[in-house]
Amino acid sequence: MSAILLAMTGAGWNPAQWQARFSALAPRREVRIWPDRVGDPAEIGYVCAWKPPPGLFAQFPHLRAIFSLGAGVDHLTGDPLLPAVPLVRVVDRDLTARMTEHVVLHVLLHHRRLRLYERQQRERVWHEHAQPAASEVAVGILGLGVLGRDAAEVLARIGFRVAGFGRTEKSVPGIETFHGQAGLDAFLARTEILACLLPHTPATEGILNLTLLRKLKHDGALGGAYLINVGRGRLQVDADILAALEEGTLAGASLDVFPTEPLPRASPLWAHPNVVITPHNAAVSDPRALAENVLTQIERFERGLPLEHVVDRAAGY
Amino acid sequence: MSAILLAMTGAGWNPAQWQARFSALAPRREVRIWPDRVGDPAEIGYVCAWKPPPGLFAQFPHLRAIFSLGAGVDHLTGDPLLPAVPLVRVVDRDLTARMTEHVVLHVLLHHRRLRLYERQQRERVWHEHAQPAASEVAVGILGLGVLGRDAAEVLARIGFRVAGFGRTEKSVPGIETFHGQAGLDAFLARTEILACLLPHTPATEGILNLTLLRKLKHDGALGGAYLINVGRGRLQVDADILAALEEGTLAGASLDVFPTEPLPRASPLWAHPNVVITPHNAAVSDPRALAENVLTQIERFERGLPLEHVVDRAAGY
């Protein structure tokens, strides 16, 4: 039976915890940990990876599939020696639900002017501001994958006017959808709160720039435009977001990801009164749910069934 | 045709705006404003009221119905001279949706530890904390009227383990429900985030006290209990909430209503780091939606159909 290798770098990962969970679910499956307990490279059939070093996968002659432990795969696709085995994105109900929690919280936070009321609380001021209903406010979901569609569905249930933009034409019940370059401009022109859930690819790098933000609707029910980025840090240009806040193009932002993480202490984004910063924790992989997800996929695969959520390498996600 | 009288006291009401909206929707209906433009009291058939002076209604010999302009009617039921005409609560889709926005925002805010991350942001600290999924967290809705049921439904869709308590036995699809005194204790014992949407009646006055708060689940996935009160201020005992925060019975609270409003500047609640204060704006009556709602009811009533949402005076709501 092919062994599973866990190869994770970066803070916050606990490979021993992941190994314990895999072993609890599939006691007969061997699970090893990179870099110290790889054993015979020829026995590695699967790698569960987060930001592994380039060239790692090329060392395993019998590699059958690679699983990315987050929703993104940009940490893998840059490897010039990446073998031609299926590259599988994690699409997990738990991860999706956590992302929706985050997106809904931050849409409501800007919609209901929470930062303004917090400032009033600090000053002990009891004062109510005019408040549009969600049904008057246009939310736009940039990226209509599994995560974007789930967030769109909940926001529509709450009452927001929700639209979505995808690279290709997609149909989502109850949601107005846009695609293509002309579609993007029309989508932005009707959107007051933009939630970005795009993957990071050469085509999306730096897409959240001043030119794009200026296309948002600024005279809607909220009287300003808001950005929520939970996609990838390299989608956004920090200096442009600051400039957009400065010139009034943005009234506020919730940023969970940044081109440089952790966000450097010197960044002026930390201190901006209308910017909400979270430490890339919008949707954190839960070892319990994801280990089960990966094992189910491997069992299906070994019974001859196709893997689900395999990355289209040409599209980059 | 019976005239409508608008009788509102307190800050934030604009009777002229309400009158304009009624007139736009029903140009032939006479709409008058208390106290200066009441005209002949015998012509008043309906009063739309918010905190009118006691005894006002007894002046109108041909009064046919009274409409409360908020979800509560406790501002009317204390009038010893209240005539025996139908007393109608406002139940409006717009008001319900706004309340759900507020409840969902504040449940997510505590669940995702927003205040903690805001403190970290002020200190420019990039640090992630363990985060349970919504599916591990028990939310309890105290009060299963139209508002409570709608909030429960959205919270369940987001993934929370939602239960509800009502005075009488109720069935809500997908929601575990409790009723009666024994049911209340069982409901509290499984609830980590308690959202209170009860009406104010003699039976509910001061119900949010230390004894009740100590019955909440403190060792759940969140590691503490949270209170959200959007019902009425007189349901809550401010000193008990402070004591509960002090002794750790509550880990945090979102309070929109208070026994004394505006909340006095001297209240220690303003400065508590884990208390979120809003100025009774969870769900504000929108003249556009409510005027239409009231007129529809009057038209139905005059065609001989029963009024909807008539208050049970014995129950007090």
Side-chain angles (χ1 to χ4, degrees), chain B residues 149-168:
Chain B
R149 289 201 302 272
D150 192 67
E153 194 178 298
V154 174
L155 289 165
R157 168 62 184 83
I158 289 171
F160 288 101
R161 294 174 44 222
V162 182
F165 175 87
R167 187 175 60 91
T168 54

Side-chain angles (χ1 to χ4, degrees), chain A residues 55-104:
Chain A
L56 175 71
F57 301 110
Q59 302 169 23
F60 310 120
H62 300 129
L63 191 65
R64 303 177 70 184
I66 299 168
F67 295 88
S68 170
L69 290 178
V73 292
D74 44 328
H75 62 110
L76 301 172
T77 50
D79 184 345
L81 300 175
L82 193 68
V85 299
L87 190 57
V88 179
R89 280 182 304 126
V90 161
V91 174
D92 180 80
R93 180 62 213 154
D94 177 76
L95 195 75
T96 305
R98 285 167 186 261
M99 186 61 91
T100 294
E101 291 174 19
H102 180 98
V103 172
V104 171

Side-chain angles (χ1 to χ4, degrees), chain B residues 17-65:
Chain B
Q17 187 190 9
W18 282 79
Q19 186 183 38
R21 184 64 190 171
F22 273 110
S23 300
L25 290 166
R28 295 174 52 236
R29 177 80 59 177
E30 210 179 330
V31 180
R32 303 177 186 175
I33 299 177
W34 174 88
D36 296 332
R37 282 171 286 150
V38 176
D40 180 356
E43 290 165 6
I44 303 297
Y46 308 97
V47 181
C48 295
W50 187 253
K51 298 188 181 173
L56 174 71
F57 300 111
Q59 302 168 23
F60 309 120
H62 300 130
L63 191 65
R64 303 179 68 184

Side-chain angles (χ1 to χ4, degrees), chain B:
Chain B
M1 192 185 284
S2 298
I4 298 174
L5 180 69
L6 304 174
M8 309 155 172
T9 68
W13 293 97
N14 183 340
Q17 187 190 9
W18 282 79
Q19 186 183 38
R21 184 64 190 171
F22 273 110
S23 300
L25 290 166
R28 295 174 52 236
R29 177 80 59 177
E30 210 179 330
V31 180
R32 303 177 186 175
I33 299 177
W34 174 88
D36 296 332
R37 282 171 286 150
V38 176
D40 180 356
E43 290 165 6
I44 303 297
Y46 308 97
V47 181
C48 295
W50 187 253
K51 298 188 181 173
L56 174 71
F57 300 111
Q59 302 168 23
F60 309 120
H62 300 130
L63 191 65
R64 303 179 68 184
I66 299 168
F67 295 89
S68 170
L69 290 178
V73 292
D74 45 327
H75 62 110
L76 300 173
T77 50
D79 184 345
L81 300 176
L82 193 68
V85 299
L87 189 57
V88 179
R89 281 182 304 125
V90 161
V91 174
D92 180 79
R93 179 62 213 155
D94 178 74
L95 195 74
T96 305
R98 285 167 186 261
M99 185 61 90
T100 294
E101 291 174 21
H102 181 97
V103 172
V104 171
L105 167 58
H106 287 267
V107 167
L108 284 172
L109 176 164
H110 292 295
H111 169 59
R112 297 295 296 246
R113 306 177 79 165
L114 193 73
R115 276 283 169 102
L116 174 61
Y117 284 109
E118 285 178 336
R119 283 198 286 278
Q120 290 189 180
Q121 180 176 348
R122 286 198 289 277
E123 294 159 7
R124 303 186 179 223
V125 169
W126 180 276
H127 179 69
E128 190 184 326
H129 301 270
Q131 176 63 55
S135 58
E136 302 171 77
V137 174
V139 176
I141 305 292
L142 189 55
L144 280 178
V146 172
L147 301 178
R149 289 201 302 272
D150 192 67
E153 194 178 298
V154 174
L155 289 165
R157 168 62 184 83
I158 289 171
F160 288 101
R161 294 174 44 222
V162 182
F165 175 87
R167 187 175 60 91
T168 54
E169 193 165 357
K170 290 200 173 79
S171 162
V172 184
I175 310 292
E176 189 183 5
T177 57
F178 297 84
H179 72 283
Q181 187 55 46
L184 181 59
D185 284 358
F187 165 77
L188 294 169
R190 55 75 67 198
T191 293
E192 300 171 72
I193 302 178
L194 179 69
C196 174
L197 294 104
L198 288 174
H200 173 226
T201 71
T204 62
E205 172 131 1
I207 192 172
L208 299 176
N209 56 38
L210 196 52
T211 306
L212 178 139
L213 297 172
R214 283 182 176 153
K215 293 178 181 171
L216 290 169
K217 185 173 183 66
H218 302 100
D219 58 353
L222 291 178
Y226 296 84
L227 170 67
I228 297 167
N229 187 15
V230 287
R232 279 283 181 260
R234 288 172 70 185
L235 303 176
Q236 98 200 8
V237 182
D238 284 4
D240 280 18
I241 290 174
L242 280 161
L245 288 159
E246 192 63 35
E247 71 180 25
T249 288
L250 280 181
S254 286
L255 306 174
D256 186 56
V257 291
F258 302 89
T260 304
E261 293 182 4
L263 180 63
R265 282 183 68 86
S267 169
L269 286 169
W270 285 111
H272 197 288
N274 296 330
V275 174
V276 183
I277 289 177
T278 46
H280 201 148
N281 71 340
V284 174
S285 310
D286 178 340
R288 291 168 299 179
L290 295 193
E292 194 171 331
N293 186 289
V294 167
L295 283 170
T296 304
Q297 285 251 56
I298 289 176
E299 281 161 21
R300 279 171 49 88
F301 180 63
E302 294 186 349
R303 290 208 313 274
L305 296 169
L307 288 162
E308 294 176 321
H309 313 302
V310 174
V311 169
D312 171 352
R313 294 204 188 184
Y317 68 93

Side-chain angles (χ1 to χ4, degrees), chain A residues 123-196:
Chain A
E123 294 160 8
R124 304 186 179 222
V125 169
W126 180 277
H127 179 68
E128 188 184 328
H129 301 269
Q131 176 62 54
S135 59
E136 301 171 78
V137 174
V139 176
I141 305 291
L142 189 54
L144 280 179
V146 172
L147 301 179
R149 289 201 301 272
D150 192 67
E153 194 177 299
V154 174
L155 289 164
R157 168 61 184 83
I158 289 171
F160 288 101
R161 294 174 45 222
V162 182
F165 175 86
R167 187 176 58 91
T168 54
E169 193 164 356
K170 290 197 174 81
S171 163
V172 183
I175 310 293
E176 188 183 6
T177 57
F178 296 84
H179 71 284
Q181 187 55 48
L184 180 59
D185 284 359
F187 165 78
L188 295 169
R190 53 76 67 199
T191 293
E192 300 170 72
I193 301 179
L194 178 69
C196 174

